[in-house]
Amino acid sequence: MCNASFDTPLFDWIDLYLQCWYWLKNEVCIHSDFLIRAIILSAALVCITISLLGLHKLIQIQSLQKWKVRISQFLFVYVAFSAAEVFLVWQGFYPGSLYRNFRIVEQLQNLPTQYSDETGIVRYLRNGYHPADFQINLEGFRSQYEYDSATIRQLKQEGKKIVMVVGDSYVAGHTATPITNCFSDLLDSDSVASLNFGVVGTDPAQYELVCREYLPIIKPDIVLVCVYANDFLTFKRRPSPGTPIMYRTNASPNGGMIFSQKPFCFGYQPNDLFKSAEEAYRFYERHYTLRNSEQILAVFCSYSSLLTVIYNFIHPKKFSSRSVEVAGRKDARAKQILYSHLKEIQTICIRNNSRVLYFGIPANGEIIREERYVPDVKDESITIQYPTDFDRSDYSNQQGDGHLNNKGHLKYMRYLLKKTGIISQKNSFSTADYRQ
């Protein structure tokens, strides 16, 4: 039990009480954080119950029936408090943390999944902490194909169209089950070789670097660049060899990550980076949690998700917890930065005789009509095409996740087929062929 680590809120809550039980039986050691949290929660429950019931009324109770009523009221408060704790953790609000999906841990564990190569391209570690269905090629991308000239030549000799799909976690297939049910993989068929260049947490700077390195080698028939709302950045990120965009640790569970970019709200400039996961975690622990506060009440509240939320509501922090600022599609500077990368990709594609199309991925619950975005450059324009028929049923409902589910991936694949004219045998499949 000492080394147990659970990412789901229910297991986290159950583990708290199991640890206390085993500790009381002297069968196993207990984490000090778990012990203190149990004491704090118990004390909080007692205080809340006394406040609700009234201590003088509790003392004056004489009949057994009234005692039963008070005990049932206490149990109701206890269950309600526990349910609130579980729900808040399920939503990503961890005890003591002011930063959603970030939690305080006794011992930090670095769980690397990516690395940044000598040119700044972010790639997957082949021996990283990946799901079992991850198939990573020698180039560090999740694909059944190798991205070398010999493999590409063989595919072309087989008469296949080469499609290069570039993007972030949506292209990578995050939350598709299995991951090969993502739209970029579904494009693959007897007549089409779909090359997946999606990497979780990346941005347009990555997309440009990938196209710059691989287009001259692959010379695909078509390049599909899929952008999401968080690709509209307020600064032009400079790729940093050796430092990935994000760090994954046990402090950011359920696939969550910590940005390597230092938060701007503390006065840091773009491309001021945390050089290690340890440095990033210590910074967030110091500035985005209540655990190291000089106020006793804040430390007390830091051992409960509910008390943390209440404390933060009463004493809100004046700074944002976002590391990479996202301005939105209507911000002129953000559009200019995005389009500067997309235009470079367009130039690279023209140079290598490849057709390029840009597609937007709507956010969970968002309905975006197809729209033409024009940057502030004369005589030049780029069209980002958006589907208009997506709703909440097309997205995952997992904790803190807004990615496409299997139904959404299939729908988006069909949208790409319609817009690009790529022929795929999988176009005739129905949504029932894939797990939701």
Side-chain angles (χ1 to χ4, degrees), residues 90-123:
W90 181 68
Q91 291 294 316
F93 296 95
Y94 288 93
S97 177
L98 307 178
Y99 181 19
R100 196 170 181 179
N101 292 319
F102 175 83
R103 66 179 178 186
I104 302 168
V105 295
E106 290 243 337
Q107 184 175 2
L108 183 68
Q109 297 176 7
N110 189 14
L111 309 172
T113 58
Q114 307 170 354
Y115 72 98
S116 179
D117 69 8
E118 63 278 0
T119 64
I121 294 178
V122 178
R123 306 172 188 268

Side-chain angles (χ1 to χ4, degrees), residues 90-92 100-101 169-170 173-176 200 228 253-256 363-365 392 394-405 409:
W90 181 68
Q91 291 294 316
R100 196 170 181 179
N101 292 319
S169 53
Y170 283 83
H174 195 66
T175 68
V200 174
Y228 186 62
N254 302 298
N364 191 353
R392 293 189 182 278
D394 298 313
Y395 298 84
S396 169
N397 59 2
Q398 296 180 25
Q399 175 189 352
D401 191 285
H403 290 80
L404 298 172
N405 57 23
H409 277 288

Side-chain angles (χ1 to χ4, degrees), residues 87-285:
F87 176 76
L88 287 171
V89 174
W90 181 68
Q91 291 294 316
F93 296 95
Y94 288 93
S97 177
L98 307 178
Y99 181 19
R100 196 170 181 179
N101 292 319
F102 175 83
R103 66 179 178 186
I104 302 168
V105 295
E106 290 243 337
Q107 184 175 2
L108 183 68
Q109 297 176 7
N110 189 14
L111 309 172
T113 58
Q114 307 170 354
Y115 72 98
S116 179
D117 69 8
E118 63 278 0
T119 64
I121 294 178
V122 178
R123 306 172 188 268
Y124 286 118
L125 284 166
R126 300 194 71 196
N127 59 344
Y129 290 81
H130 303 296
D133 53 359
F134 249 60
Q135 181 180 351
I136 301 174
N137 62 18
L138 295 175
E139 296 294 319
F141 296 98
R142 193 190 64 73
S143 177
Q144 61 177 314
Y145 303 111
E146 297 297 336
Y147 297 162
D148 55 73
S149 55
T151 301
I152 301 302
R153 185 167 56 250
Q154 178 63 34
L155 291 172
K156 290 182 177 180
Q157 288 175 356
E158 294 173 3
K160 290 192 173 187
K161 291 183 179 180
I162 307 298
V163 179
M164 185 173 168
V165 190
V166 183
D168 57 10
S169 53
Y170 283 83
V171 173
H174 195 66
T175 68
T177 309
I179 200 166
T180 50
N181 266 350
C182 72
F183 67 82
S184 49
D185 287 359
L186 294 178
L187 289 171
D188 199 88
S189 70
D190 292 338
S191 59
V192 175
S194 178
L195 311 185
N196 191 330
F197 281 87
V199 178
V200 174
T202 52
D203 57 18
Q206 163 90 354
Y207 311 160
E208 179 185 335
L209 285 175
V210 163
C211 291
R212 193 174 297 280
E213 176 163 331
Y214 286 98
L215 265 154
I217 299 172
I218 297 173
K219 294 188 182 299
D221 295 283
I222 186 170
V223 178
L224 306 181
V225 181
C226 300
V227 299
Y228 186 62
N230 58 8
D231 283 332
F232 292 82
L233 305 179
T234 58
F235 75 102
K236 195 163 185 178
R237 183 178 68 86
R238 183 175 62 249
S240 178
T243 304
I245 298 176
M246 295 181 175
Y247 296 108
R248 183 178 181 183
T249 70
N250 60 333
S252 46
N254 302 298
M257 298 186 180
I258 306 175
F259 285 108
S260 60
Q261 168 67 47
K262 296 181 178 179
F264 304 133
C265 49
F266 287 90
Y268 293 109
Q269 299 302 308
N271 301 301
D272 287 344
L273 306 178
F274 296 114
K275 297 301 182 182
S276 67
E278 176 76 18
E279 181 185 1
Y281 172 77
R282 295 306 171 198
F283 180 90
Y284 278 87
E285 182 189 33

